[in-house]
Each structure stands twice: as structure tokens, then as C-alpha cells.
Amino acid sequence: MDKQKYIDDIKDIKDIMDRSTKFISLSGLTGIVTGALALVAVYFAYNIVYTGQNYLVDRIAIISTDKLLLLFGIAALTIILSVLLGLFFTSKKARLHNQKLWDAQAKRFYSSLAIPLGTGGILCTILLVKGYVGLVAPLTLIFYGLALVNGSHLTLSEIKSLGIIEIILGLVSIYFIGYGLAFWAIGFGVMHIIYGVLMHIKYGS
Amino acid sequence: MKHILDDLNKAFENKIRLGIMSALVVNDQVDFNTLKDLLGVTDGNLASHLKTLESKEYIKVYKAFVGRKPKTNYKVTASGKKAFKKHIKAIEQLLK
């Protein structure tokens, strides 16, 4: 009796079940690169926000309109670059897995991310317009974490714990309001790099 | 040992048929092209294996039009699911 054949069969069954239901082409390199990008962005944002403030009087950062526009510019550039780099690494890995960049699994995964992220995005835009800038950083972390947890059953299982960490960071940063940039640096920068390295080691790229 | 071997299903001995069943039991339905990409086989090859499974009534074909393009979806039947589970159980027994 050929046991090896049946061991291979079971492996094939598992592999096909995974590939046909989950989006497994997430690349660790995406995490590392976008994490680094986030840290650079936070560095520039920090310099813009905290230079020229009078801390002898009070610990309040006053952001002028042109500074705010500059911050929006940095944020937009970071998002665009991250998405482009993500697409690049993901398509490379999808080819390796014989999976398409935009197949049924990817669609399911991204649409389960889109609803919490969209809700958070709209909420944060409303808060920004109303002037509640301090709440934006914690809420982006929380909604990003919720999106990851929501989509985690459709992709690599590690994503769930990353989501939970982002939610906790978001909640803690609501308590320590005013340190939004620092929490952003941890949540979007450091955590992405750590998870990127872990996933790169575990799954390769 | 004899009874375990009886539970192994000849229809699933083939790698491609095994792959088709694996994909169908964990998805509501899968269309022809997705199966083709998933298994990395040619049209003709896949079609003939789908026919075999269909003739055993393990899977069912649903044809639909998306716009003007015909789309062929496949679903696993209740008996197909049962047979596949039995087959996997038999393999697990063998490997014990």
C-alpha cells in the first residue's frame, strides 16, 4: 500500500481548500516596506506639527491651515505609495501561488476589509471637518484593526492578532489623547514591520 | 483492513477529480475558469473529469449568462459531499 500517495492527497486537498477560499498571497515584504514608509511619514508629520510651538506656555500644538494641508499631502502620498507597493509585492506573490491578484478570494477579502475601513474613513473625515483632530489617530487605528479582524478568516490567520493589537493600541491612544502620532508610528509603522518580518520568515515572499 | 479499502472511492483516486471536489466542498459554487486556474489544467482535461463526477451525480452544473458571456458554475451535491467525506475518512484511517 502506498502511504505516500495518500499523504500527498491530503496535502493537496488542504492546499486547494485554502487556495479556493482564502486570499493567501499577502506578502510579508508589503508589511515591511509600508511600515517603514509609515515611520518616515510620521517623522515628517512630527516635524511639521511640533516645530515652532510654544511649549513654555502650554502643551498644545496649534496647527495652521497650510500645515494641515501639508499633513494631508503627506498622508495621501503615503497611502498611494503603500497601495502601489502592496500591489507590486502581492502580484509577485500571487503569481508564485498560482493565484490571481483579483480573483474571487481576493474580492471577498478586500470587501470584508472595505466596510469597516470605509466607515472609519467617513467618520474620521467628519471629525476632521468638525475640528476634532485628536480623535482621528486613535479611530483610524481602531477601525483598521476591526477591518483586519473582520477579514482575517479569509486570509492568513496571523492577521487576526495584528488586528486585535491595532484595536488595543487605538483604545489606549484615546486615553492618551495628543500622542496620536506616536501611536500611529507604533500601529502602522512598527507593527507592520514586525508582522511583515514574521510572515516573510514563515511564508516566504 | 479490507473494509477501509472499500471506503476509498475510485472516483477520487485521480488528482484532478480530488482537487475539484476539494474546491467544491468548501465553496458554494465554483465556475469553470476558477477551477482551471486553481488546478492548473487544460480545458479539455478539466471538462472530462467534471463529466465523470457529474455522471456519478457528485456534482451539478449550473449554466448562466453574465452579460453576454456564458458562465458555467459547479456545485457539489449532497451525495457528493457524503462520498467525499467517506473517502477522506478512509484515507485518515489508512494513515493511522
Side-chain angles (χ1 to χ4, degrees), chain A residues 167-198:
Chain A
I167 294 171
I168 294 170
L169 276 173
L171 289 174
V172 174
S173 75
I174 282 207
Y175 189 81
F176 295 101
I177 216 151
Y179 294 90
L181 276 177
F183 281 98
W184 254 1
I186 300 169
F188 290 115
V190 179
M191 288 320 298
H192 276 161
I193 293 174
I194 292 174
Y195 268 78
V197 170
L198 286 178

Side-chain angles (χ1 to χ4, degrees), chain A residues 154-169:
Chain A
L154 296 170
T155 187
L156 306 171
S157 54
E158 286 78 4
I159 295 302
K160 189 173 185 177
S161 57
L162 176 61
I164 290 169
I165 292 172
E166 302 284 1
I167 294 171
I168 294 170
L169 276 173

Side-chain angles (χ1 to χ4, degrees), chain A residues 8-200:
Chain A
D8 286 347
D9 274 1
I10 291 282
K11 232 166 68 190
D12 281 354
I13 292 170
K14 261 202 68 143
D15 174 59
I16 287 169
M17 284 179 170
D18 264 1
R19 269 198 298 139
S20 70
T21 51
K22 291 180 176 185
F23 181 65
I24 51 169
S25 300
L26 280 184
S27 160
L29 286 178
T30 308
I32 299 171
V33 173
T34 53
L37 208 61
L39 286 181
V40 173
V42 167
Y43 171 78
F44 281 117
Y46 187 89
N47 279 339
I48 291 168
V49 174
Y50 294 101
T51 46
Q53 304 284 358
N54 188 355
Y55 287 123
L56 287 176
V57 181
D58 47 19
R59 207 206 160 274
I60 293 173
I62 294 154
I63 304 168
S64 58
T65 318
D66 48 328
K67 271 187 175 179
L68 206 59
L69 279 177
L70 204 55
L71 288 175
F72 271 126
I74 291 177
L77 196 68
T78 313
I79 291 168
I80 293 168
L81 274 177
S82 299
V83 170
L84 288 179
L85 286 165
L87 281 177
F88 172 72
F89 287 120
T90 310
S91 67
K92 256 177 77 176
K93 197 161 179 204
R95 256 196 308 258
L96 205 77
H97 278 304
N98 222 350
Q99 216 176 20
K100 279 187 186 153
L101 188 61
W102 191 244
D103 55 11
Q105 295 81 270
K107 265 180 233 169
R108 251 182 295 178
F109 173 61
Y110 287 120
S111 60
S112 70
L113 289 186
I115 293 168
L117 272 188
T119 313
I122 293 168
L123 176 65
C124 289
T125 311
I126 295 171
L127 289 175
L128 268 179
V129 171
K130 299 261 182 194
Y132 301 110
V133 183
L135 279 174
V136 169
L139 285 178
T140 50
L141 284 168
I142 290 173
F143 279 96
Y144 179 58
L146 288 173
L148 290 182
V149 172
N150 197 37
S152 61
H153 62 286
L154 296 170
T155 187
L156 306 171
S157 54
E158 286 78 4
I159 295 302
K160 189 173 185 177
S161 57
L162 176 61
I164 290 169
I165 292 172
E166 302 284 1
I167 294 171
I168 294 170
L169 276 173
L171 289 174
V172 174
S173 75
I174 282 207
Y175 189 81
F176 295 101
I177 216 151
Y179 294 90
L181 276 177
F183 281 98
W184 254 1
I186 300 169
F188 290 115
V190 179
M191 288 320 298
H192 276 161
I193 293 174
I194 292 174
Y195 268 78
V197 170
L198 286 178
M199 292 188 15
H200 186 73

Side-chain angles (χ1 to χ4, degrees), chain A residues 1 9 12 19-20 100, chain B residues 8 15 19 27 37-38 94:
Chain A
M1 197 165 23
D9 274 1
D12 281 354
R19 269 198 298 139
S20 70
K100 279 187 186 153
Chain B
L8 283 174
K15 277 235 184 281
N27 287 284
D37 290 337
L38 204 60
L94 273 177

